Amino acid sequence: MSKIHVSCTINGESEEFLCEARQSLLEVLREDLGFTGTKEGCNDGNCGACSVMVDGVLVDSCLVLAAEVDGSEVTTVEGLASADGLHPLQRKFLEHASLQCGICTPGFLVASKALLDANPNPSEHDVRHWLAGNLCRCTGYDKIVRAVLDAAGQDG
């Protein structure tokens, strides 16, 4: 089977890889490129654990073919932190104890970043609505919502 050459930017760094036409972005990120922060939950677009941003748009990487990101900019959870430290959302998730097992956390963080990029001052309703595509089986959603609101400069 012939492979497709893909050139893109992942977390600010140029990347090139070969993939099969059928491979999902999730599979290539985790298995070929080592971005294991992106998690596989349902593998059918229902849980949000694999959320990444492609050209600033929030997507479930299990539903995107890797070949589709040619020429695009991809942001994974690994791209949120900088050399200076954790992203404010990551700090707030820790402060609010917004995680337990951690499978859903990367997806929630990336989705929350996409929300705050689109709406830096969301209401609680906005946060709950935006994050409705991300599922968690361990925590209640309140701590996650409070962390996002706090990161946005709101006290909830």
Side-chain angles (χ1 to χ4, degrees), residues 26-88:
L26 171 62
E27 181 181 350
V28 170
L29 285 171
R30 287 188 57 79
E31 297 177 16
D32 298 340
L33 301 176
F35 293 100
T36 58
T38 304
K39 303 299 185 206
E40 181 178 339
C42 64
N43 208 28
D44 62 12
N46 284 309
C47 74
C50 68
S51 296
V52 299
M53 288 189 283
V54 176
D55 295 329
V57 176
L58 184 65
V59 299
D60 291 323
S61 62
C62 69
L63 298 179
V64 174
L65 293 173
E68 292 180 290
V69 301
D70 190 42
S72 294
E73 184 168 328
V74 178
T75 304
T76 71
V77 71
E78 289 93 344
L80 297 186
S82 68
D84 296 331
L86 295 177
H87 185 278

Side-chain angles (χ1 to χ4, degrees), residues 88-107:
L89 277 164
Q90 292 169 310
R91 285 196 308 272
K92 295 302 179 183
F93 267 58
L94 288 171
E95 288 174 21
H96 288 268
S98 301
L99 56 130
Q100 285 186 2
C101 84
I103 295 295
C104 69
T105 306

Side-chain angles (χ1 to χ4, degrees), residues 130-153:
W130 187 277
L131 297 180
N134 293 76
L135 303 178
C136 176
R137 294 181 180 174
C138 299
T139 68
Y141 294 90
D142 285 331
K143 291 180 180 183
I144 294 167
V145 171
R146 301 290 168 237
V148 176
L149 290 171
D150 196 12

Side-chain angles (χ1 to χ4, degrees), residues 5-9 15-17 69-72:
H5 178 261
V6 176
S7 295
C8 64
T9 302
E15 294 279 351
E16 291 188 45
F17 57 86
V69 301
D70 190 42
S72 294

Side-chain angles (χ1 to χ4, degrees), residues 113-133:
K113 169 85 166 75
L115 167 62
L116 295 181
D117 287 351
N119 180 0
N121 193 26
S123 67
E124 180 176 340
H125 174 78
D126 294 335
V127 174
R128 289 183 184 279
H129 181 73
W130 187 277
L131 297 180

